[in-house]
Amino acid sequence: MIQEPVVPSLLQMEGFSLEHRSVFGPVSILTDVNFSLGYGEVLGVIGESGAGKSTIGNAILGLLAPQFVRVSGTIRLEGAPIDDRTLERDIRGHRIAAIFQDHTASLDPLMPVGKQIRETVLALDPALTVSEAKEVSLQLMTRVGISDAARRYADYPHQFSGGQRQRLVIAIALAGSPDVIIADEPTSALDATVQKQILALLRSLVDESGLSVILVTHDMGVVAEITDRVLVMRKGEVVEQGRTAAILDRPQHVYTQSLLAAVPRLRQTMAARKVRSTSPQWSDGRSETPILSVRNLSRSFATTGPKYWPWGETAVTEKPFALRDVSFDLLRGSVTGIVGESGSGKTTIGRIMAGLEFASQGCVAIDGREFDVTRPGRRSGILGLVQMIFQDPSLSLNPHMTIERILRESIRYGAGDVERPSDCAAMMERLGLPRSLLSRHPHQLSGGQKQRVSIARALLARPRIVVADEPTSALDVSVQAEIVALLKEAIAETDMTMVFISHDLALVQDLCDQIHIFKAGRIEDAGSPHYIFSQSTHPYTRELIAARSSWFTR
Amino acid sequence: MKAIVLRILLQRPGLDRTAGLFRLRLRAGGSQIVLAAFVLVAILAPLISPQNPYDPLQVLGWDASSPPGTVGSGGYAYILGTDGLGRDILSTIFYGLRISLVVSIVSSLAAAMIGLAAGVTAAYFGRWIDAVIMRLVDLQLSLPTILVALIAIVTLGPGVDRIILALIIVQWAVYARMVRGVALSETRKSYMDAAQLLRMPTLRILLRHLLPNSIAPALTLLPIEIGHAIALEATLSFLGLGVPLDKPSLGSAVANGFQYLMTGQYWISLFPGLALLCLVASINFVGDDLRRRLDPRSAAR
Amino acid sequence: MYWATIASGRLAQAALLLLAMSLIAFIGIHSIGNPVFNVVNIETATAEDIRQATTALGLDQPVWKQYFLFLSNIVRGEFGTSYIYHQPAVDLVLGKLPATLELAVFAMLVAAPVGVGLGLLAGRNEGSAFDRVVLRFCVLVASVPSFWLSMMLILGLAVLAGWLPSGGRGDSMLAFGQEWSVLTGDGLRHIILPALALALPNIALICRLARAGTIEVQGQEFTRFCRAKGLSARRILMRHTLPNISIPIVTIIALQFGGMLAFAVVVETIFAWPGVGKLLIDSIQLLDRPVVMATLTFVAVAFVTLNALVDLLYAILDPRVRLS
């Protein structure tokens, strides 16, 4: 561990251990955590799910459920230990404020945002009058970058975009001019470009007002972007801490090294490469008939409001994605990346190709046979020709079936005409899953294992086209890398055609022969990875590339 | 010193774990024992009752309205007294339990099955099928159960089988609404999409994938609805629309005593009512406990 | 646009509800027996009397024709005359309305604040001794059939203790052209027991709902954020938790209130309270079809009005409904 120069510390955690006690006995959550936070410093706390990184923030704020019991250690603010009494009266909001991950859930949906800021201002400084507090609130809104604050003061949270809501949350955190802000995954729910803006805002607040920030995150990119120092957590223990630059450059601990290695890196310049034995057809100049073509596909915005009868239950308002006149081809044996931020229509296009959703206009042709995708998949006949790998493995396996039954079902009903080994056990072996898992139920498997089963199910149906819809975004970084490697292998072995949908440019860079960049339902930019990363001058493509932390762009 | 030893003992994970589980089991223990006793009594009623209240030959008219503890002309004591016709209250309770339990359990099980089928069907097919089923459910749920039961009984006529039918009509909508909600959220999960992509027969998707994942709420609702059904049957009997008078359920036994209440002959309706209360309460407590255990969200708390 | 949709929807709902109820009731009454035998004196009536009465009541027509006649009369605002009381059915229902209304309002004024208050406190201190007691109380009260609860109230407070009268409306006073019991001391004494019998199950119901809602809302991220931003527990409870649990509570209050208006059958019967519910059950037993139909129409209208009121409240309570 690297020794630090002694800085006067603002917040300290000393020998802190925490247990979760339930009827099933105590479980250790944090073990002997030591760190200190300096003035005007941004401290990153990084780790995978279950590392106990969020618990640190909650422990400092005293927001833990009563089942969490402190076993040892103290938390000091400027040398004075924090206890429950001072927390409630003097510390929360006044000295230490918080920003949580879910900006939608952090704000009371039934109260205008201005009032939510104002009540915080008033609670923290009861001497103010209501109109003074409103004045302060408006200043805070302006400070975090809400334009036209006076007009938006009375608006409700749902009338703001995700990025704006997170700005409002930051405004509330700033209301008591705190010394420390604990930011728990503040940007994880946001798109890359918005994430960049929010991080910039946080950094500017630190630089301007000498605020300190504890930033809890799972994303190395965020750590590289704004933190001064970083704490690497694993299973409730600090495995390494030190200056961010030093840790990123020369990680000492094996775990840190593996975390860093797993982060997909973006290469600015790309050499022409050959990843597969059967190289895609366009590279030798011959144009061949595509295996799947999408022609002029459009999907209108879903209308909100009553579904059937005027007085029915409020209909589930579909997310307003739309596709506008999208056309592209998939070449036999190629891997096509579809990249876009949330709401770009990338998932919708994948589901339409698979026949799970229908379009308002356009058609999809597979092997020259046209399907009317404006009708439900079962009727248009397209259903079953394309298999999918879904985003969240915990939702994609029927919890009431054993793994073996799930896979057998896929063999039995799968429709494909290509000969493939269709034995469950062989497939399990190929995907690196122990055979003993066959008799288990999904909830007994880890996230990565579940996703492998999900891949096995898709492959066992012997499809010629597979759509992978963000197959790694619900997984920890280290597992993500394994899944991507697995997919690469699976594609290389066969002449399967694949569509890889992702929000992360770095992920598709190494995997794909062709990349389509979607924005608001349109294809903004398309081409080979070489073109996209080295040559394209399209502003949106450049913005997406720039949104990645420069640390992981080589 | 003792405290420290105790604390260390309690900190040992194994011991704490067993103790915790033991506590979990014990929590509903009381109501479970009471409920089991009720069921046992209902099953054994003909063997343990002092008299058969349905048999006119065993009922002695001149013992009518005896207070609790009176030794009747039959030679045995009326522990809880007799009603206006001379029927032993204790025996009436034992026999009444049988009718109350059979009517409520049969009707609730049938309603659960119908509701399950309707809810899953509505959620899976959506569109007009969903609209028709859910409008029916809405219509029924917007009316108080007592009215629906009243209309049903009035239309169907008297009799135990008709009561069961009326209770099914009253209850199925609750299950349908609940199951549909859960099934709807299940259909949005991607394992359902995966099943679609394999082009399985619709029936298989419904039975193998959707149904098993939507059944839990119906199961947790079951005990509560059985409790409701018992109370509702009693109410109908009280209003004179329930089971025939010569075969009293708990409800009609209570109703029989209403006219005697003002004259201070409280036992005729007090004891059957207490039995009814204990039965429904124990079912509700057991049901609540079951729900707490099955619902992972509340278990985490 | 929002209001137009809601209004048209509610009207359609009223029509459908009425249609369904009238159809069921019509068939129901038709299948039980011939109302004519309750109209004529069975001992003395000759076959000719019965035939005349049948014709006079229109009962000689096929049932579907009777039904259409009934529907067309409703459209003209006619519900016909009671077979038994020989009064217009509408007047009968309206005459019973004040008794029902005052009972329901009185009961709900007790039930709603007590239920919400208990639920909030119990939910906030989830798992505490207070919470456990409240929860036990709720389950216990919900387990008592209301007729037995009413009888026990009479037994305890009227027969044994002798504090309160066991039934009837007591003295009443004329106001707005109707008789009201709550305006006199004796009337108030009479209303306490039936109101309590109606309120207790509702306290349990509202309390459980409020408790569950409180626990859910207190577990949500914004509550945690409110604590983190330095608000007091009291303010969080009153300003954030309460509004967020209000929608289901308002719904259940409206629904239960509607139920009290129309179908407090059991309580009204036991306490001999001359309300709409008692009128309905008496009329069903006497096969007095015009009165049954008029009562059911009133019920449908009341329910739809309450539902519309709830819609309005939703829009006031939840900006997401209002602004979407």
Side-chain angles (χ1 to χ4, degrees):
Chain A
M1 214 172 282
I2 295 164
Q3 275 302 314
E4 303 274 324
V6 180
V7 222
S9 73
L10 173 61
L11 187 79
Q12 266 178 309
M13 208 176 223
E14 292 165 352
F16 198 82
S17 298
L18 197 72
E19 274 181 0
H20 181 267
R21 291 190 184 155
S22 68
V23 287
F24 301 110
V27 180
S28 179
I29 303 292
L30 292 177
T31 318
D32 194 27
V33 175
N34 288 291
F35 71 86
S36 66
L37 176 72
Y39 290 92
E41 185 181 53
V42 180
L43 174 71
V45 178
I46 190 163
E48 301 195 356
S49 52
K53 53 190 193 301
S54 294
T55 316
I56 290 185
N58 287 333
I60 295 172
L61 286 163
L63 294 179
L64 293 170
Q67 296 94 314
F68 289 87
V69 180
R70 179 195 299 200
V71 180
S72 65
T74 44
I75 303 169
R76 290 173 193 281
L77 185 64
E78 294 191 315
I82 295 178
D83 62 54
D84 283 350
R85 201 174 46 80
T86 52
L87 256 178
E88 177 101 27
R89 211 184 51 218
D90 307 318
I91 293 183
R92 270 189 225 139
H94 296 273
R95 308 288 312 273
I96 307 175
I99 303 168
F100 295 141
Q101 170 175 6
D102 192 341
H103 47 80
T104 314
S106 290
L107 298 168
D108 184 342
L110 304 186
M111 194 186 265
V113 293
K115 207 173 161 195
Q116 293 191 45
I117 303 175
R118 195 185 72 198
E119 69 164 2
T120 318
V121 173
L122 276 174
L124 299 176
D125 189 355
L128 290 177
T129 66
V130 172
S131 59
E132 282 167 350
K134 181 178 177 184
E135 212 38 56
V136 176
S137 310
L138 287 173
Q139 284 165 12
L140 283 168
M141 283 171 80
T142 314
R143 187 165 161 210
V144 295
I146 303 286
S147 52
D148 210 359
R151 198 175 52 81
R152 307 223 60 186
Y153 185 81
D155 283 354
Y156 287 90
H158 71 276
Q159 292 166 292
F160 291 85
S161 72
Q164 283 174 318
R165 274 197 291 263
Q166 196 60 293
R167 283 172 194 273
L168 290 164
V169 169
I170 295 175
I172 290 173
L174 290 173
S177 319
D179 303 315
V180 183
I181 287 185
I182 294 170
D184 189 353
E185 302 266 11
T187 58
S188 307
L190 300 170
D191 283 329
T193 46
V194 184
Q195 170 171 345
K196 186 109 176 164
Q197 294 160 9
I198 296 288
L199 291 178
L201 171 67
L202 272 178
R203 186 75 238 185
S204 73
L205 291 171
V206 169
D207 294 341
E208 283 165 22
S209 54
L211 190 74
S212 300
V213 174
I214 295 179
L215 190 112
V216 176
T217 182
H218 69 281
D219 188 345
M220 272 294 180
V222 172
V223 167
E225 186 86 21
I226 72 162
T227 62
D228 302 311
R229 284 196 313 128
V230 64
L231 204 65
V232 185
M233 303 272 311
R234 186 192 190 191
K235 291 180 185 161
E237 288 179 58
V238 178
V239 297
E240 187 167 3
Q241 59 177 312
R243 299 242 135 244
T244 304
I247 295 232
L248 289 178
D249 268 341
R250 299 177 300 281
Q252 304 293 309
H253 196 278
V254 187
Y255 180 66
T256 319
Q257 288 163 2
S258 71
L259 263 188
L260 277 168
V263 180
R265 277 150 209 263
L266 204 59
R267 287 183 304 275
Q268 283 293 46
T269 52
M270 288 194 60
R273 69 205 170 88
K274 197 171 173 186
V275 279
R276 320 146 56 89
S277 48
T278 54
S279 60
Q281 274 75 6
W282 69 80
S283 56
D284 35 316
R286 270 186 306 131
S287 76
E288 198 182 305
T289 45
I291 186 164
L292 183 148
S293 0
V294 172
R295 286 287 162 263
N296 308 98
L297 212 62
S298 291
R299 175 157 155 152
S300 55
F301 280 89
T303 48
T304 59
K307 214 186 322 185
Y308 309 110
W309 290 31
W311 63 84
E313 234 172 276
T314 337
V316 183
T317 52
E318 286 179 58
K319 282 181 195 149
F321 13 78
L323 292 171
R324 272 169 286 182
D325 200 23
V326 170
S327 301
F328 59 83
D329 290 337
L330 302 183
L331 293 180
R332 202 177 297 278
S334 70
V335 181
T336 304
I338 292 184
V339 181
E341 303 196 318
S342 57
S344 61
K346 58 183 191 299
T347 295
T348 312
I349 186 83
R351 291 175 64 85
I352 290 176
M353 283 192 277
L356 290 174
E357 272 180 45
F358 46 94
S360 347
Q361 265 176 12
C363 75
V364 172
I366 295 179
D367 265 344
R369 189 179 152 208
E370 286 201 2
F371 295 93
D372 176 11
V373 290
T374 57
R375 298 195 307 159
R378 251 178 217 264
R379 284 199 216 135
S380 71
I382 196 170
L383 198 74
L385 296 179
V386 176
Q387 290 298 321
M388 279 186 81
I389 299 161
F390 298 95
Q391 176 171 358
D392 190 345
S394 61
L395 300 180
S396 62
L397 304 174
N398 183 344
H400 281 264
M401 289 169 94
T402 60
I403 304 304
E404 178 159 19
R405 280 182 61 199
I406 290 172
L407 296 181
R408 288 208 177 284
E409 216 173 34
S410 184
I411 296 168
R412 181 165 159 204
Y413 291 98
D417 42 19
V418 187
E419 270 305 312
R420 294 260 175 84
S422 52
D423 180 23
C424 293
M427 181 58 82
M428 295 281 280
E429 208 158 294
R430 204 174 125 201
L431 296 182
L433 288 168
R435 192 181 286 231
S436 60
L437 293 186
L438 278 174
S439 59
R440 302 266 176 87
H441 281 89
H443 67 94
Q444 296 167 298
L445 273 58
S446 71
Q449 286 174 328
K450 276 187 263 192
Q451 197 59 301
R452 282 162 200 253
V453 172
S454 192
I455 293 172
R457 174 180 55 194
L459 296 182
L460 282 171
R462 288 168 293 149
R464 288 188 299 161
I465 306 165
V466 169
V467 173
D469 183 7
E470 302 240 28
T472 61
S473 56
L475 304 170
D476 277 332
V477 187
S478 52
V479 188
Q480 278 181 16
E482 290 168 21
I483 296 291
V484 170
L486 203 67
L487 279 173
K488 250 185 206 171
E489 220 171 276
I491 304 157
E493 277 173 24
T494 64
D495 64 339
M496 198 165 65
T497 308
M498 183 151 114
V499 177
F500 193 96
I501 299 171
S502 176
H503 66 281
D504 190 349
L505 267 177
L507 260 183
V508 297
Q509 185 176 31
D510 285 343
L511 202 62
C512 300
D513 309 303
Q514 185 81 357
I515 294 172
H516 299 288
I517 293 182
F518 273 62
K519 187 192 179 189
R522 276 182 212 281
I523 298 182
E524 287 288 322
D525 200 6
S528 67
H530 177 65
Y531 165 79
I532 293 280
F533 292 100
S534 325
Q535 294 168 350
S536 171
T537 53
H538 194 286
Y540 186 63
T541 308
R542 304 263 52 105
E543 191 188 339
L544 274 184
I545 292 173
R548 299 259 332 156
S549 162
S550 52
W551 192 274
F552 296 103
T553 310
R554 293 279 154 91
Chain B
M1 190 62 207
K2 224 167 156 185
I4 296 173
V5 173
L6 208 67
R7 214 174 124 194
I8 293 168
L9 269 178
L10 284 176
Q11 265 178 357
R12 275 182 45 208
L15 195 73
D16 197 48
R17 197 184 166 107
T18 347
L21 284 177
F22 186 63
R23 241 189 339 248
L24 254 179
R25 277 213 194 92
L26 216 67
R27 202 172 49 199
S31 8
Q32 278 156 355
I33 291 166
V34 172
L35 185 57
F38 271 120
V39 173
L40 205 67
V41 164
I43 293 171
L44 299 177
L47 298 177
I48 57 175
S49 299
Q51 70 170 211
N52 179 355
Y54 302 164
D55 182 356
L57 295 176
Q58 292 188 29
V59 176
L60 308 163
W62 51 83
D63 281 346
S65 305
S66 315
T70 312
V71 177
S73 25
Y76 50 87
Y78 297 120
I79 299 169
L80 301 179
T82 59
D83 68 6
L85 297 174
R87 289 183 293 209
D88 176 36
I89 298 285
L90 187 69
S91 308
T92 314
I93 291 176
F94 286 176
Y95 276 83
L97 267 176
R98 289 165 80 97
I99 296 189
S100 291
L101 278 174
V102 167
V103 166
S104 60
I105 291 175
V106 170
S107 66
S108 297
L109 278 178
M113 276 187 244
I114 295 170
L116 204 59
V120 164
T121 310
Y124 181 79
F125 290 102
R127 294 159 183 264
W128 67 268
I129 297 179
D130 187 30
V132 168
I133 293 178
M134 290 324 287
R135 261 358 93 195
L136 252 153
V137 168
D138 275 355
L139 187 72
Q140 167 145 12
L141 290 183
S142 69
L143 300 173
T145 42
I146 183 83
L147 176 81
V148 179
L150 261 172
I151 294 180
I153 284 291
V154 163
T155 314
L156 295 169
V160 172
D161 51 338
R162 310 295 170 85
I163 292 257
I164 291 177
L165 205 58
L167 290 179
I168 294 172
I169 293 173
V170 168
Q171 291 180 83
W172 76 276
V174 186
Y175 289 100
R177 150 92 39 110
M178 189 132 182
V179 168
R180 176 194 175 256
V182 175
L184 207 59
S185 71
E186 290 295 320
T187 54
R188 300 211 179 93
K189 292 187 181 167
S190 43
Y191 71 85
M192 288 294 291
D193 287 337
Q196 289 289 348
L197 286 177
L198 291 170
R199 288 192 82 116
M200 281 176 215
T202 305
L203 199 64
R204 186 185 174 92
I205 296 184
L206 280 174
L207 293 181
R208 281 288 176 83
H209 293 272
L210 194 51
L211 196 68
N213 289 298
S214 314
I215 215 164
L219 284 182
T220 56
L221 205 58
L222 196 61
I224 294 156
E225 282 301 309
I226 290 178
H228 278 165
I230 293 175
L232 196 58
E233 183 274 323
T235 307
L236 287 174
S237 297
F238 176 79
L239 291 173
L241 295 164
V243 296
L245 275 176
D246 55 334
K247 289 195 173 166
S249 70
L250 286 179
S252 40
V254 177
N256 285 341
F258 182 43
Q259 48 181 316
Y260 301 98
L261 197 64
M262 301 300 168
T263 57
Q265 295 169 17
Y266 62 91
W267 60 88
I268 303 180
S269 53
L270 177 70
F271 293 120
L274 274 179
L276 190 63
L277 171 65
C278 293
L279 176 64
V280 180
S282 64
I283 290 178
N284 278 338
F285 280 127
V286 170
D288 249 25
D289 189 67
L290 191 74
R291 187 165 47 172
R292 242 197 303 270
R293 280 190 218 190
L294 289 184
D295 180 9
R297 243 165 31 108
S298 66
R301 282 202 211 105
Chain C
M1 183 54 212
Y2 173 72
W3 298 116
T5 319
I6 292 291
S8 62
R10 286 299 167 202
L11 276 175
Q13 187 184 20
L16 191 81
L17 196 64
L18 191 55
L19 213 65
M21 289 210 314
S22 63
L23 197 63
I24 295 167
F26 221 89
I27 296 170
I29 291 178
H30 185 78
S31 65
I32 323 174
N34 195 338
V36 86
F37 296 113
N38 289 323
V39 178
V40 297
N41 188 332
I42 296 191
E43 260 100 74
T44 59
T46 61
E48 179 62 15
D49 289 339
I50 292 176
R51 201 191 55 77
Q52 268 179 0
T54 308
T55 319
L57 297 176
L59 295 171
D60 52 339
Q61 308 282 334
V63 68
W64 61 267
K65 226 173 191 172
Q66 291 180 39
Y67 184 64
F68 278 106
L69 196 69
F70 160 76
L71 281 188
S72 60
N73 278 338
I74 281 199
V75 174
R76 283 187 278 116
E78 298 253 341
F79 287 93
T81 310
S82 162
Y83 297 159
I84 314 293
Y85 307 101
H86 305 291
Q87 277 181 36
V90 181
D91 291 358
L92 265 174
V93 175
L94 288 180
K96 303 284 184 189
L97 200 54
T100 292
L101 207 60
E102 64 185 7
L103 182 59
V105 170
F106 198 88
M108 202 39 103
L109 280 181
V110 174
V114 174
V116 172
L118 281 179
L120 269 179
L121 287 177
R124 190 179 131 191
N125 307 312
E126 194 201 0
S128 66
F130 175 74
D131 177 40
R132 280 201 298 273
V133 168
V134 168
L135 205 57
R136 288 278 139 125
F137 161 80
C138 288
V139 173
L140 216 59
V141 169
S143 310
V144 188
S146 71
F147 67 91
W148 194 69
L149 180 69
S150 307
M151 284 164 65
M152 289 305 113
L153 284 174
I154 290 180
L155 181 67
L157 298 175
V159 177
L160 295 181
W163 293 334
L164 293 164
S166 65
R169 268 186 92 183
D171 296 339
S172 57
M173 195 184 268
L174 200 68
F176 310 110
Q178 297 285 1
E179 298 283 335
W180 302 89
S181 292
V182 276
L183 299 177
T184 68
D186 183 53
L188 265 180
R189 277 164 48 81
H190 278 83
I191 209 173
I192 290 178
L193 278 186
L196 208 58
L198 276 181
L200 273 172
N202 283 298
I203 290 176
L205 191 66
I206 294 169
C207 173
R208 282 197 86 157
L209 208 63
R211 178 184 173 273
T214 306
I215 291 170
E216 195 185 324
V217 172
Q218 299 252 310
Q220 272 175 15
E221 189 87 345
F222 73 81
T223 308
R224 210 159 67 89
F225 187 63
C226 281
R227 287 178 65 196
K229 74 190 192 183
L231 295 191
S232 66
R234 204 185 128 85
R235 188 178 171 90
I236 296 176
L237 195 69
M238 299 312 290
R239 286 305 181 84
H240 294 279
T241 309
L242 190 58
N244 274 283
I245 62 170
S246 58
I247 283 184
I249 291 179
V250 162
T251 312
I252 202 75
I253 288 179
L255 212 66
Q256 290 299 108
F257 186 74
M260 283 188 201
L261 276 188
F263 312 109
V265 184
V266 176
V267 171
E268 287 184 357
T269 307
I270 293 179
F271 290 96
W273 192 264
V276 176
K278 189 151 164 36
L279 178 69
L280 178 65
I281 185 108
D282 289 348
S283 305
I284 288 179
Q285 271 157 356
L286 294 170
L287 303 178
D288 194 351
R289 202 167 68 193
V291 181
V292 172
M293 291 322 220
T295 315
L296 289 182
T297 309
F298 158 74
V299 168
V301 171
F303 263 93
V304 171
T305 314
L306 277 169
N307 275 335
L309 218 63
V310 168
D311 280 341
L312 194 75
L313 279 171
Y314 278 179
I316 292 169
L317 292 171
D318 193 341
R320 288 166 297 187
V321 174
R322 184 162 69 231
L323 299 165
S324 66

